[in-house]
Amino acid sequence: MEYILAMTFITSTNAKSTMSISGVKPDLAKDQISALMDKIIEKNIFQTKSGYFTGKSGANVTQRTVTKYELA
């Protein structure tokens, strides 16, 4: 099972931009996600076409199941 955290930010142009991180723990708490998003905004190192991240809009964790088949 793979878990993906998708964080949606408000940018400096008041648009929304989403950043995803694969391989996160399935039991992330709301306060942990909020603290991570605050840190990303504080560090101000990501710039999108819509500008820098200036606020939080929302987040979600998606569970993904991958089934691999060996076909030889």
Side-chain angles (χ1 to χ4, degrees):
M1 220 57 75
E2 178 184 19
Y3 294 89
I4 303 162
L5 170 62
M7 301 170 287
T8 304
F9 294 91
I10 303 297
T11 67
S12 53
T13 61
N14 209 30
K16 290 183 179 180
S17 183
T18 301
M19 170 187 282
S20 297
I21 301 173
S22 299
V24 298
K25 299 185 303 184
D27 59 347
L28 282 175
K30 181 180 176 180
D31 60 330
Q32 291 173 309
I33 295 169
S34 184
L36 173 60
M37 292 178 77
D38 287 340
K39 185 61 81 174
I40 290 170
I41 293 166
E42 175 190 323
K43 292 296 183 180
N44 200 30
I45 58 174
F46 295 104
Q47 182 178 13
T48 68
K49 291 184 237 177
S50 304
Y52 290 99
F53 298 149
T54 58
K56 299 179 281 191
S57 176
N60 63 63
V61 175
T62 304
Q63 176 181 327
R64 182 176 145 195
T65 302
V66 177
T67 304
K68 293 184 180 184
Y69 298 97
E70 294 295 327
L71 304 173

